[in-house]
Amino acid sequence: MKKITSLIMIMMSCVVLSACQTTSDEAIKVSDQFFAMDTYITYTIYTTASQTESAKALMSEANSEFERIADLANRFESFEGLVNVSTINEQAGITPVVVDPMLIEMVLLAKEVAAQSNGAFSVVLGPVSEIWQQYQDSDLVGIPNQAELDELRPLLDLDNLIVDTQASTLYLTEPGMVLDLGAIAKGYATEYVAKWLADTGIEHAIINAGGNVKTIGGHPTNGAFRIGLQDPNDLGGIFGSVAIQSTSVVTSGDYQRYFEYDGVRYHHLIDPATLQPARLYRSVTIVTPNSTLADALSTALFVLPLEAGQALIETYYPGTAVIWYSADGTVTTNVAMDEIFTLGGE
Ligand code: AMP
Ligand code: MG
């Protein structure tokens, strides 16, 4: 069995930014990189020479906010004095847990997208993801058998995740249920941090958290930022790019986390209907201002058949731009995407 971790690749080539051509003396590009939520987070702020140090300090402070949200959404580790997702999971079948309103917000949006996607998006697939993870980590050899996965179905009912907004509690009613906000938390943190930076007066910036990119404003002189989209068949290259300002681009891809067994790729995006990795696409990219929503939708649409995904967008999120990169290499875009997308590398 071959185990492949492509996180570094994502960091290096998921986003190819437009060249930094500062035609004005005043425009300086300042970047810094951090690691959180299992991914590299790169902050790029366009500022003036005299503000370089303060921009660096702001990035560091912003990233502390990112880390705070990462800790809240962490389902693997508990931290002293912090109620997080692992606390909710520990208390499954025991008691509702009072949580930070940010977790309530994430779960409410997750439930909305779950309903809109007919269950293709589900934040309670944790027990299934955990089994697949054991094979990816080589703790077990081969792949899980279907019966073993199907036995977990009683633990996968999203109605058994109870939200009480008044009391600010979350409760998994069945012991063994596992909340997993992996499909939405990075988008939420990126969105939060972008707002935080904008509130400090930053007008031109890019936050790149793995497959999640958020832009504040546009490029100070060139207008739009051109963001390259990683080619699933050539992770060092791009298959196209989007020109954007003040919005977010989020991609879910089968190359972001996976292992291979018997020549077949088993990745981290699970179809709740089969409990197997979803097989229709190599990647799905969403462009919409709210990064939390973009994150949830990229995962949901990765699982849904094309027509169902198109219908979801048209019904609930008209104007949201989508690219489906299918398993056979066909690239499909919707009308909103056609306005900003260019096919091909640079
Ligand atoms: P993303 O990279 O945003 O598409 O999120 C992938 C992560 O979401 C996985 O690593 C799992 O933790 C979780 N996940 C997998 N399948 C689903 C699904 N169908 N719905 C919601 N979350 C999922
Ligand atoms: Mg997602």
Side-chain angles (χ1 to χ4, degrees), residues 190-251:
T190 309
E191 181 71 19
Y192 186 91
V193 164
K195 285 216 172 88
W196 188 94
L197 279 171
D199 284 349
T200 68
I202 298 296
E203 291 176 4
H204 308 279
I206 302 171
I207 302 160
N208 174 13
N212 291 53
V213 175
K214 172 99 191 176
T215 56
I216 300 172
H219 188 281
T221 51
N222 302 346
F225 290 114
R226 183 162 289 279
I227 309 291
L229 304 172
Q230 192 171 22
D231 185 346
N233 289 315
D234 169 17
L235 296 182
I238 62 172
F239 73 91
S241 58
V242 288
I244 57 160
Q245 320 193 26
S246 307
T247 192
S248 58
V249 191
V250 176
T251 297

Side-chain angles (χ1 to χ4, degrees), residues 69-346:
I69 297 168
D71 288 350
L72 277 177
N74 195 319
R75 73 186 162 98
F76 302 105
E77 259 182 281
S78 47
F79 304 95
E80 210 177 316
L82 183 76
V83 171
N84 68 359
V85 168
S86 82
T87 323
I88 297 160
N89 291 338
E90 276 162 23
Q91 297 303 320
I94 301 173
T95 183
V97 179
V98 178
V99 298
D100 190 293
M102 290 195 199
L103 289 178
I104 301 274
E105 216 184 307
M106 283 186 239
V107 167
L108 288 178
L109 179 66
K111 279 194 169 245
E112 213 174 304
V113 174
Q116 292 161 348
S117 66
N118 236 332
F121 186 82
S122 171
V123 289
V124 293
L125 291 175
V128 173
S129 297
E130 281 179 1
I131 292 214
W132 281 106
Q133 188 67 43
Q134 287 178 309
Y135 288 88
Q136 181 172 333
D137 293 345
S138 304
D139 294 339
L140 295 169
V141 176
I143 53 168
N145 69 53
Q146 189 65 41
E148 174 189 8
L149 295 173
D150 286 333
E151 272 171 23
L152 296 169
R153 287 191 188 275
L155 302 177
L156 308 181
D157 186 347
L158 192 61
D159 289 339
N160 291 335
L161 166 58
I162 310 291
V163 187
D164 184 335
T165 47
Q166 291 293 322
S168 194
T169 59
L170 293 174
Y171 180 36
L172 297 164
T173 63
E174 305 304 309
M177 285 182 77
V178 179
L179 175 63
D180 170 11
L181 295 176
I184 194 169
K186 215 198 293 172
Y188 187 94
T190 309
E191 181 71 19
Y192 186 91
V193 164
K195 285 216 172 88
W196 188 94
L197 279 171
D199 284 349
T200 68
I202 298 296
E203 291 176 4
H204 308 279
I206 302 171
I207 302 160
N208 174 13
N212 291 53
V213 175
K214 172 99 191 176
T215 56
I216 300 172
H219 188 281
T221 51
N222 302 346
F225 290 114
R226 183 162 289 279
I227 309 291
L229 304 172
Q230 192 171 22
D231 185 346
N233 289 315
D234 169 17
L235 296 182
I238 62 172
F239 73 91
S241 58
V242 288
I244 57 160
Q245 320 193 26
S246 307
T247 192
S248 58
V249 191
V250 176
T251 297
S252 289
D254 72 356
Y255 47 84
Q256 291 168 340
R257 205 165 300 206
Y258 68 96
F259 67 95
E260 282 178 4
Y261 178 70
D262 252 0
V264 179
R265 174 177 299 208
Y266 296 91
H267 62 81
H268 68 313
L269 297 158
I270 303 296
D271 181 347
T274 61
L275 307 185
Q276 298 285 324
R279 294 284 177 209
L280 296 172
Y281 317 104
R282 304 298 314 284
S283 71
V284 172
T285 298
I286 303 282
V287 177
T288 198
N290 184 313
S291 187
T292 319
L293 179 64
D295 197 2
L297 289 179
S298 71
T299 311
L301 265 61
F302 191 97
V303 175
L304 283 175
L306 188 62
E307 299 71 29
Q310 285 167 330
L312 186 158
I313 295 297
E314 278 163 27
T315 308
Y316 300 105
Y317 305 105
T320 293
V322 189
I323 305 169
W324 293 264
Y325 189 115
S326 74
D328 68 6
T330 311
V331 174
T332 305
T333 52
N334 66 355
V335 174
M337 184 57 81
D338 291 339
E339 290 169 19
I340 55 174
F341 178 64
T342 306
L343 188 65
E346 321 230 319

